[in-house]
Amino acid sequence: MLVATALACGAVLLGTVASGSTFALLNSSATSPGAVVRSGTAELGVSTALSLAATPLYPGATVSGSAVVTNSGQVPLSVRVAGLALTGTATTFSSALTVHVSAITTGSCPAVPTAWQGTFASSTPTDLAVRVAPGANARICVGVTLPASAPAAAAGAAPAAFTLSIDGRQVA
């Protein structure tokens, strides 16, 4: 009889654990008002193209310029550098260059932007920590530096054309 009672208790315990429930009889319900979910568009475009000064670079010098991007979408965006690519064949000159980028919503660009820097050999996508509201603009500040440590073979080389990719990520 003791064995039968132990088996019955074990069966009840096993059934309770296997079903994932308890013997409690608690129940509650509530009605919530309807929610509205809307979609929006994210669109970042260049409204003023990048223009760099045609000043010749020498070791230790930086040329800079800026472009303006506009958020023509319906959601706020955070601006980021998405990529940097050399257009054409790499030379000793282009391999020595460093590109610097910052984004601002007011004021003037710094002489050497500091939020991001990369080379044609190594550029990591990076958020520029600037939020652009729908209908608003941001200025993308770009500087190109020929480091003081550039090799002598870089002197007199052909100019380097490049593509700097900027995109926007939706933020709350």
Side-chain angles (χ1 to χ4, degrees):
M1 175 114 158
L2 188 56
V3 172
T5 303
L7 285 175
C9 287
V12 169
L13 180 62
L14 182 62
T16 301
V17 170
S19 70
S21 64
T22 66
F23 290 114
L25 297 174
L26 301 175
N27 189 2
S28 178
S29 66
T31 303
S32 76
V36 177
V37 177
R38 292 188 175 99
S39 65
T41 59
E43 192 170 333
L44 187 68
V46 177
S47 51
T48 304
L50 174 64
S51 177
L52 292 173
T55 307
L57 277 175
Y58 54 86
T62 298
V63 294
S64 58
S66 66
V68 176
V69 294
T70 301
N71 179 355
S72 55
Q74 301 166 325
V75 295
L77 299 173
S78 179
V79 179
R80 78 176 191 133
V81 173
L84 176 66
L86 184 63
T87 306
T89 306
T91 64
T92 305
F93 175 71
S94 64
S95 297
L97 296 175
T98 301
V99 178
H100 307 269
V101 180
S102 289
I104 59 173
T105 54
T106 60
S108 300
C109 287
V112 178
T114 58
W116 178 89
Q117 77 174 28
T119 65
F120 299 113
S122 175
S123 63
T124 303
T126 303
D127 188 87
L128 296 175
V130 169
R131 179 184 166 126
V132 184
N137 299 323
R139 181 168 301 280
I140 306 299
C141 307
V142 179
V144 179
T145 301
L146 182 62
S149 60
F162 63 92
T163 301
L164 176 66
S165 299
I166 303 290
D167 69 13
R169 300 287 174 116
Q170 182 178 345
V171 293

